[in-house]
Amino acid sequence: FNSHCLLLISSLLVQYSVHCLTTPTPKESSWQCRLDKAFLDIDATPESRLRNFQRAIQDPNLRTDVNSAIDAIREKGFGKGHPEFINILWPEGTTARSDLEGLTALKTQLPEVLRELPDFVNKSKEQQSKTTKSSSSTSVDFSSLPKPDEIKEELKNAFRSTPKGLETPKYSIVRVIDGDLKLGVPEKIEIRKYEAFT
């Protein structure tokens, strides 16, 4: 190989990688989606978890993608290579990716919440003292408490991206604009038009 051929091949690989990184949702049969279902699907049965795990580790793309992700770190260093690493192993549209983005958001939100915590505690103490003075003893109606199945479903809903039974308004996407860069890819911001909802 001469340097021109190597440069041409590298250019094609970079263009292919950029195309792959901006693909919005992985296929349902991708190893990433199968691992999502095996480990993160709250409604999955043990049998489907095992089946999805087995299919994921048998997928030849798993080894290829892991090697590509490691190569990105090896060639670019962690600082510049980690966005590509994350985009390869946890593409947009997977639960694991959503969890990573949630943790990243939490990292920025937590300091803000901690700064506001003392004020919140003081206000809560004031409210509690007002409530304690004005309340009289009341009896508890145990029939109004949730049933075990209802509690179980609520706990599962805490881990779902959209809780079961949640009604959401219908909408159409008017426009999509690029936002801040997240992991080397612009965040997509949807401008939506919602139908009336009552």
Side-chain angles (χ1 to χ4, degrees):
F1 278 87
N2 63 30
S3 60
H4 293 293
C5 285
L6 191 57
L7 186 62
L8 179 62
I9 291 170
S10 298
S11 170
L12 290 172
L13 286 174
V14 166
Q15 288 175 348
Y16 176 75
S17 297
V18 167
H19 170 73
C20 288
L21 292 178
T22 57
T23 302
T25 308
K27 288 183 184 176
E28 283 290 315
S29 61
S30 71
W31 65 266
Q32 293 100 329
C33 285
R34 290 193 187 278
L35 284 181
D36 261 3
K37 291 175 191 169
F39 292 113
L40 302 172
D41 184 353
I42 195 74
D43 296 311
T45 63
E47 295 81 17
S48 70
R49 289 180 189 282
L50 181 60
R51 186 176 52 252
N52 278 307
F53 179 73
Q54 288 171 335
R55 288 182 180 163
I57 61 173
Q58 291 170 353
D59 188 329
N61 291 325
L62 172 66
R63 173 178 261 172
T64 305
D65 289 345
V66 169
N67 285 334
S68 297
I70 291 170
D71 286 344
I73 297 292
R74 188 179 298 137
E75 293 167 10
K76 299 176 184 174
F78 189 79
K80 292 184 180 178
H82 84 277
E84 186 175 342
F85 179 90
I86 290 171
N87 284 321
I88 291 170
L89 297 183
W90 300 286
E92 286 186 35
T94 59
T95 305
R97 174 62 172 262
S98 297
D99 290 349
L100 285 172
E101 290 171 350
L103 289 171
T104 303
L106 184 64
K107 183 180 85 173
T108 58
Q109 293 167 358
L110 196 57
E112 295 171 10
V113 170
L114 290 176
R115 280 193 302 271
E116 297 170 4
L117 188 62
D119 291 338
F120 177 75
V121 169
N122 289 334
K123 287 178 184 175
S124 294
K125 284 180 182 178
E126 290 171 12
Q127 289 241 280
Q128 187 178 17
S129 65
K130 289 177 186 176
T131 307
T132 306
K133 291 175 186 174
S134 64
S135 67
S136 59
S137 64
T138 58
S139 62
V140 176
D141 178 14
F142 290 104
S143 65
S144 66
L145 295 174
K147 310 289 183 272
D149 286 343
E150 294 170 338
I151 294 170
K152 181 180 175 184
E153 199 58 35
E154 280 302 314
L155 288 172
K156 282 184 173 184
N157 276 341
F159 295 100
R160 291 184 178 115
S161 58
T162 304
K164 278 190 178 177
L166 178 70
E167 288 186 54
T168 57
K170 293 189 183 336
Y171 65 89
S172 59
I173 299 172
V174 177
R175 190 170 153 209
V176 178
I177 58 175
D178 288 341
D180 294 338
L181 286 180
K182 302 271 183 173
L183 300 171
V185 178
E187 182 179 25
K188 300 295 179 197
I189 300 171
E190 294 179 345
I191 309 296
R192 298 175 176 179
K193 180 179 180 181
Y194 286 87
E195 293 181 12
F197 187 72
T198 55

